[in-house]
Amino acid sequence: MYIRWIVRKHKNSGAANVSFHDAYLVESYRDENDSPRQRTICYLGNIRQIGDEFPPLEREIFFLRAERILMSIPEIDSEEREAILALLRQKVPELSEEEAIIAFHNNLRWFARWIRSRGRRVSRDELLRMIDTAAESIEV
């Protein structure tokens, strides 16, 4: 299996340096005449590239979505799933620790603005409880 990337440019490429990358999981096989063929197993999602970069948040969403799609295909075991994700990472880098911390801070700011727009305030203790609850859900 391999990843087939289909790249589409923005409709107005002169004004926007944006392209869209669609990822498909494809396998090679030989037909009844022993001719080589390829078939698409599934669509793994798309990601936008602005200039030379894939935005950090979009990278994380892309990988979450691709992993969820792969988990829904019973014929793909965990070892193959990791190999496929590694193929995706060859083109789309994972978030660095610094990028993840920045994203976390941005999400906290977004949440604070969102809750304030509804006439509420969240105390530091309430935020810490939310963080503790989230941490408990991911601890193994």
Side-chain angles (χ1 to χ4, degrees):
M1 286 190 270
Y2 64 96
I3 305 297
R4 176 175 290 146
W5 292 96
I6 307 294
V7 180
R8 299 172 286 120
K9 293 287 184 190
H10 190 277
K11 289 179 184 176
N12 191 358
S13 60
N17 189 10
V18 176
S19 56
F20 304 92
H21 298 253
D22 298 313
Y24 294 87
L25 181 62
V26 177
E27 75 175 348
S28 297
Y29 70 99
R30 293 197 173 266
D31 67 11
E32 61 278 350
N33 299 324
D34 205 33
S35 297
R37 300 278 183 229
Q38 298 85 36
R39 74 174 132 238
T40 300
I41 303 298
C42 67
Y43 173 72
L44 294 171
N46 70 355
I47 185 164
R48 183 174 59 139
Q49 182 178 13
I50 302 170
D52 293 332
E53 291 187 5
F54 296 104
L57 181 59
E58 293 183 31
R59 292 189 338 243
E60 187 59 22
I61 292 169
F62 172 75
F63 282 112
L64 289 170
R65 194 172 45 216
E67 189 169 2
R68 211 173 261 155
I69 290 167
L70 290 170
M71 290 179 79
S72 73
I73 303 172
E75 298 81 20
I76 298 176
D77 63 29
S78 61
E79 194 172 298
E80 282 178 308
R81 189 168 43 250
E82 286 306 314
I84 293 163
L85 290 170
L87 290 172
L88 292 173
R89 286 185 204 103
Q90 289 177 0
K91 182 169 192 90
V92 180
E94 282 188 300
L95 288 184
S96 67
E97 185 175 338
E98 181 182 353
E99 289 172 320
I101 290 168
I102 290 168
F104 179 74
H105 287 206
N106 288 338
N107 281 329
L108 283 176
R109 280 196 296 274
W110 169 84
F111 179 72
R113 281 194 308 263
W114 180 83
I115 205 78
R116 266 190 250 119
S117 74
R118 282 146 180 79
R120 276 194 62 217
R121 294 244 185 250
V122 177
S123 70
R124 184 177 192 282
D125 288 341
E126 193 173 352
L127 279 175
L128 290 173
R129 274 194 301 278
M130 288 181 201
I131 292 169
D132 287 343
T133 301
E136 289 168 5
S137 70
I138 59 173
E139 289 177 0
V140 178

